[in-house]
Amino acid sequence: MEPATPSPATSPSPPAPPTGAPVGRRVVLGLVGLGVLGVVTGARIQDFLERTIGPVVAKDGTGFSALLPFGRFRIYTVTGSLPRRSAEDWSLKVHGLVDAPLRISFDELRAMEPTSLTKDFQCVTGWRVSDVQWRGVRLADLLDRAGVQDRAQAVRFTSFDGAYTESLSLEQARRRDVIVAYEMEGDALSTAHGGPVRLYVAPMYGYKSIKWLDGIELTDRVIPGYWEERGYDVDAWIGMSNGRDDAGV
Amino acid sequence: MSLATEELDRFDTTERVVHWVTAVLLLTLLGTGFALYAGPLSTLVGRRELVKTVHVIAGLALPVPLVIALLLPRRGRALRADVRRIDRFDAEDRRWLRRRTHRRARTGKFNAGQKLNASFLVAAGIALLGTGVIMRWPDPWSVDLRTGATFVHDWFAIGVLLAVAGHIVFALRDPDALGGMLRGRVPARWARKEHPRWYEEMTGRPADKLAPARKPESRAGSPR
């Protein structure tokens, strides 16, 4: 150690370089290394947390654990900003290979027979929100209302964000757990969650559940959607696609 | 000058400017980050894009004051010297870290807790910046790496929140220490008690001779 050089009169000169082990830089390098390791392995750790702790968090009523970084929604957009449209300004077009193309207002949608589902939302990036309450209208009911022509084989969805698209085969679209949703957890669907109206495809990964829905087009073949053009599976069954093995919904 | 009024220079202007600019940026980051993280489930959605922009800009700006100050030839000298002190751990730091010997540790300008806190924050800053860049510009990265980046960003941010909260609590409980970062100077008697080896270095006077005789320490092993 440096002896305290007794030179009280002069202003303290820069002391001799401190001695001792360079623990500080080791801590920095170690933690940054841990961070890199976390980026590489984080997806698997997150999966584990979602599976083990996520369901517990979902049932905890204190609200505190709702702040923990798992079992919660993450908000993604493919455009720069959140597209915003009020329920009054919103309408949904059902067109393509249908007998009677429709344009449905929010009120008209609400007037249709509602259906409720309480099911998980599973993202292909690993996070899962347990037991989400959804309310809306069965997609099949909307299709019937427009009258699907025989040539139609698939459904294409568009978003008023101007960029996102999705697709389902007609058979998938007619499932009872595929709904055009306008409520989540008992509240009107917020903008961040795709409001005023989004699709919720329960048995498939979240990217199929297009947000800010404004168009449903019947087509003669499946037209791959936004993420499917970028390598995601078109048939996005949870646990049976995209190389993942999550529990089904 | 009597010991009662004597003051020692602790942080120079450069260090204080860096500290407070960084503090403003960091609090902005914690606030906007929390809004982005918890916001969608509450009512902040309306301003989400603005909040996100502020968060990204503040994040990119965070290292700038420190890096610039470190590069200043003359005015960065004291800062660079403090960085070197923070890097090095000696026997006294190890004593400080052990509960049994904590009270007897003769700390220098920074105690081991301050050193570890500083090192953690630097590492967390690097990790948060890197993962934040992946999150903001995700296209070149695989889904797994993006998920991993989000995972690391979450947990380091929680760590920083706790470290900063602790830092503020300690500063508020010790007005003399806080004054060191506000005015740049600290009372010599405070330095003699809290940072005896730095006191000796600054004054050339032994710290312990003037100090009240040390009581036979019976509480040394008790929980603090």
Side-chain angles (χ1 to χ4, degrees), chain A residues 188-225:
Chain A
L189 202 57
S190 69
T191 296
H193 286 297
V197 176
R198 77 179 296 169
L199 194 66
Y200 172 59
V201 183
M204 294 195 178
Y205 286 109
Y207 63 89
K208 297 301 269 192
S209 296
I210 185 171
K211 300 202 277 192
W212 309 299
L213 178 68
D214 76 341
I216 297 176
E217 181 185 3
L218 278 292
T219 57
D220 58 4
R221 65 195 162 83
V222 170
I223 300 169

Side-chain angles (χ1 to χ4, degrees), chain A residues 47-185:
Chain A
D47 270 3
F48 175 77
L49 292 174
E50 301 285 355
R51 283 170 206 217
T52 52
I53 307 175
V56 182
V57 171
K59 283 166 190 62
D60 170 66
T62 62
F64 169 72
S65 56
L67 293 175
L68 293 173
F70 33 80
R72 66 195 340 272
F73 278 96
R74 313 266 166 164
I75 308 302
Y76 305 133
T77 64
V78 299
T79 56
S81 60
L82 285 184
R84 208 169 304 278
R85 194 163 293 183
S86 68
E88 293 75 42
D89 295 335
W90 176 89
S91 68
L92 174 65
K93 203 172 154 188
V94 185
H95 61 121
L97 302 174
V98 294
D99 297 329
L102 302 175
R103 186 176 278 284
I104 289 188
S105 72
F106 190 75
D107 288 341
E108 286 171 307
L109 186 72
R110 299 272 319 211
M112 292 178 67
E113 188 191 344
T115 185
S116 294
L117 290 176
T118 300
K119 282 181 178 292
D120 296 358
F121 190 93
Q122 170 77 50
C123 180
V124 74
T125 63
W127 55 266
R128 183 179 186 119
V129 184
S130 299
D131 297 336
V132 184
Q133 292 172 42
W134 304 93
R135 189 173 174 83
V137 171
R138 281 204 191 92
L139 177 59
D141 292 350
L142 269 171
L143 299 182
D144 289 344
R145 188 160 161 175
V148 178
Q149 294 179 359
D150 291 342
R151 281 194 301 138
Q153 296 296 317
V155 189
R156 174 180 163 79
F157 305 92
T158 53
S159 163
F160 61 79
D161 73 359
Y164 204 87
T165 58
E166 253 312 329
S167 69
L168 290 172
S169 73
L170 194 53
E171 189 189 351
Q172 293 162 1
R174 288 198 176 281
R175 287 177 61 110
R176 295 172 64 83
D177 53 3
V178 176
I179 67 169
V180 174
Y182 47 72
E183 275 182 20
M184 195 182 103
E185 301 288 354

Side-chain angles (χ1 to χ4, degrees), chain B residues 16-184:
Chain B
R16 282 178 285 146
V17 168
V18 169
H19 176 272
W20 290 110
V21 174
T22 303
V24 168
L25 289 170
L26 194 49
L27 291 177
T28 305
L29 282 163
L30 287 170
T32 53
F34 187 78
L36 288 171
Y37 177 81
L41 300 178
S42 63
T43 54
L44 255 155
V45 178
R47 297 264 178 265
R48 191 177 171 86
E49 275 319 300
L50 175 66
V51 173
K52 190 169 143 188
T53 306
V54 171
H55 188 78
V56 169
I57 290 172
L60 294 174
L62 184 69
V64 172
L66 179 63
V67 169
I68 288 179
L70 284 171
L71 294 175
L72 294 176
R74 266 180 53 78
R75 291 182 154 273
R77 202 172 279 164
L79 177 62
R80 287 192 294 274
D82 281 351
V83 168
R84 282 192 291 273
R85 289 176 189 270
I86 285 168
D87 182 29
R88 298 285 175 169
F89 277 59
D90 60 20
E92 294 298 331
D93 290 314
R94 282 185 280 278
R95 285 160 71 87
W96 191 94
L97 287 171
R98 281 197 202 96
R99 170 174 287 191
R100 207 166 51 78
T101 51
H102 176 79
R103 284 172 161 274
R104 280 170 282 161
R106 302 186 73 249
T107 51
K109 184 164 183 180
F110 303 106
N111 66 42
Q114 293 168 322
K115 292 180 181 182
L116 285 177
N117 183 49
S119 301
F120 166 74
L121 286 173
V122 168
I126 294 169
L128 287 163
L129 185 62
T131 53
V133 165
I134 296 177
M135 292 162 79
R136 175 61 185 79
W137 291 280
D139 290 343
W141 314 94
S142 74
V143 172
D144 272 6
L145 288 183
R146 288 181 223 167
T147 304
T150 309
F151 171 77
V152 170
H153 206 84
D154 285 345
W155 287 103
F156 267 108
I158 290 171
V160 168
L161 179 68
L162 296 177
V164 168
H167 177 72
I168 292 172
V169 167
F170 281 124
L172 292 178
R173 285 201 326 215
D174 188 346
D176 289 330
L178 180 59
M181 196 45 90
L182 285 170
R183 298 179 299 112

